[in-house]
Amino acid sequence: MNNIVNSLQKNNLVKEILAWKKRRDAVILAHVYQPGEIQDIADFTGDSLFLSQQAAKTQAKIILFCGVQFMAETASILSPKKIVLLPEINAGCPLADMAPAEKVKSKIKELPEVVVVSYVNSSAAVKSLSDYCCTSANAVQIAQAISAEKDILFLPDMNLANYVAREAKRKIIPWSGFCPTHHLLTKEEVVKMKKLHPQALLLVHPECRPEVCDLADYIGSTRGIINFASNNQVKEFIIGTELGILYPLKKNNPNKIFFSASNNMICPNMKLITLEKVLYSLQNMVFQITVPEEISRKSLIALNRMIEIT
Ligand code: CIZ
């Protein structure tokens, strides 16, 4: 009985959201780490750059970003004339917070010769101090486009930095940040899962520790993991990234089995977004994410350099 009441309430909530979306002329974006019910109401789901690029292409006046702050900032930089809403203002990113702009500025002063590459998971202020932006899908390609003579200051994720150094064969100075959700996954947990599911392939995100990546059959971004699993003949996969990705993986591959490498791989910030908050956001036009003009202009240079290379 409770289930029926809940599902009726949810259906009404979804209807209200869709009505408000139309009224506001909004497009709804959901990152693949979002809860399944949020991914279901979105016009686009995917990684942060793909979503921001889709939003920039649409005619919609409002971008409602179901994700975390740096993603909404990126959308605002790529669509400066549109209103960008984040349904939960406290949905931050601890990895981005590990590289405060002031500290990055002093590091760059210390190392004036370096090329600065910042991962999309960084604040707009940090992007504006960077020569290039990158995502986990294109970080290796971006590093390879930089002369091997140059040292690269790569921030904020040290695990991604080490992976890029190895794959791109570039000298990289890693910033010492990490994503708690990915960094917490241990080699022991992965070994245990592999023993439990010996037929399964292990697919991990490069934000995981190097010793975890060493055990993987595939290392890649969220988009890479989804493509790899969908196009592979193998039927079982152990997934080493945030649990939300299991939703599109299972939905798009009903004949395959997906296990999370660890049930602790949950980003609490991503899970702050709820259907109720999405509705409130559209009704009240909150929370509007803006990026100061000068920061936006400089960040766009770093983002466009990445887009040109890829
Ligand atoms: O860029 C993104 O959306 C993130 C955070 C990860 C990925 O691999 O797509």
Side-chain angles (χ1 to χ4, degrees), residues 153-172:
L153 174 63
F154 189 99
L155 47 99
D157 192 288
M158 62 182 179
N159 291 330
L160 179 61
N162 290 330
Y163 168 73
V164 172
R166 212 167 49 187
E167 294 295 311
K169 305 200 171 28
R170 288 291 181 274
K171 182 155 178 261
I172 289 195

Side-chain angles (χ1 to χ4, degrees), residues 31 33 47-48 70-71 119-121 135-136 205 221-223:
H31 193 270
Y33 292 161
D47 64 31
S48 58
F70 78 82
M71 299 180 178
Y119 184 29
V120 67
N121 297 36
T135 68
S136 46
H205 196 279
S221 65
T222 52
R223 195 183 336 157

Side-chain angles (χ1 to χ4, degrees), residues 4-285:
I4 299 173
V5 173
N6 284 345
S7 123
L8 273 175
Q9 278 171 347
K10 192 175 144 188
N11 282 348
N12 287 340
L13 205 48
V14 170
K15 270 192 202 146
E16 280 270 291
I17 289 171
L18 297 181
W20 274 94
K21 184 182 86 142
K22 202 166 167 201
R23 186 158 161 186
R24 293 287 191 212
D25 188 13
V27 61
I28 300 183
L29 313 178
H31 193 270
V32 287
Y33 292 161
Q34 284 289 297
E37 60 190 16
I38 300 289
Q39 296 193 42
D40 279 343
I41 55 151
D43 296 294
F44 298 101
T45 58
D47 64 31
S48 58
L49 181 69
F50 167 80
L51 293 175
S52 294
Q53 287 178 316
Q54 295 311 308
K57 279 189 213 160
T58 71
Q59 297 300 315
K61 288 199 190 86
I62 291 166
I63 300 171
L64 185 126
F65 210 126
C66 300
V68 295
Q69 274 163 18
F70 78 82
M71 299 180 178
E73 283 184 348
T74 308
S76 172
I77 294 165
L78 292 179
S79 303
K81 296 221 164 74
K82 293 182 181 169
I83 294 175
V84 179
L85 301 177
L86 184 66
E88 167 57 66
I89 195 62
N90 295 313
C93 171
L95 168 59
D97 294 345
M98 286 178 200
E102 282 316 308
K103 280 199 176 160
V104 174
K105 231 185 237 172
S106 25
K107 190 75 185 171
I108 296 172
K109 257 195 198 144
E110 243 174 68
L111 306 166
E113 299 298 318
V114 292
V115 177
V116 182
V117 178
S118 66
Y119 184 29
V120 67
N121 297 36
S122 57
S123 66
V126 165
K127 287 188 181 77
S128 75
L129 299 171
S130 309
D131 298 298
Y132 296 87
C133 190
C134 74
T135 68
S136 46
N138 61 33
V140 172
Q141 203 185 347
I142 299 296
Q144 279 171 339
I146 296 165
S147 156
E149 312 284 293
K150 291 275 185 188
D151 288 355
I152 298 173
L153 174 63
F154 189 99
L155 47 99
D157 192 288
M158 62 182 179
N159 291 330
L160 179 61
N162 290 330
Y163 168 73
V164 172
R166 212 167 49 187
E167 294 295 311
K169 305 200 171 28
R170 288 291 181 274
K171 182 155 178 261
I172 289 195
I173 304 163
W175 193 265
S176 58
F178 56 86
C179 161
T181 306
H182 288 90
H183 195 66
L184 276 179
L185 178 66
T186 63
K187 182 178 170 181
E188 290 67 32
E189 282 174 299
V190 170
V191 169
K192 199 168 144 197
M193 282 304 282
K194 276 171 82 88
K195 275 200 189 130
L196 277 174
H197 307 287
Q199 310 297 342
L201 294 183
L202 173 68
L203 320 184
V204 306
H205 196 279
E207 287 175 27
C208 292
R209 295 164 184 264
E211 64 269 27
V212 167
C213 291
D214 284 346
L215 297 173
D217 297 291
Y218 174 79
I219 306 168
S221 65
T222 52
R223 195 183 336 157
I225 289 176
I226 290 173
N227 288 343
F228 185 94
S230 306
N231 298 329
N232 204 284
Q233 299 298 318
V234 172
K235 296 270 182 255
E236 291 184 29
F237 301 90
I238 301 165
I239 305 295
T241 190
E242 212 277 346
L243 275 169
I245 200 174
L246 295 184
Y247 187 74
L249 281 170
K250 288 179 181 171
K251 197 171 166 183
N252 299 334
N253 301 281
N255 56 342
K256 296 185 180 177
I257 303 172
F258 298 94
F259 308 100
S260 178
S262 156
N263 286 335
N264 297 326
M265 294 198 81
I266 299 176
C267 169
N269 288 282
M270 282 284 177
K271 306 305 186 234
L272 288 175
I273 312 285
T274 61
L275 288 174
E276 285 81 357
K277 288 181 191 174
V278 170
L279 179 58
Y280 186 85
S281 175
L282 284 169
Q283 286 173 329
N284 298 286
M285 295 292 287

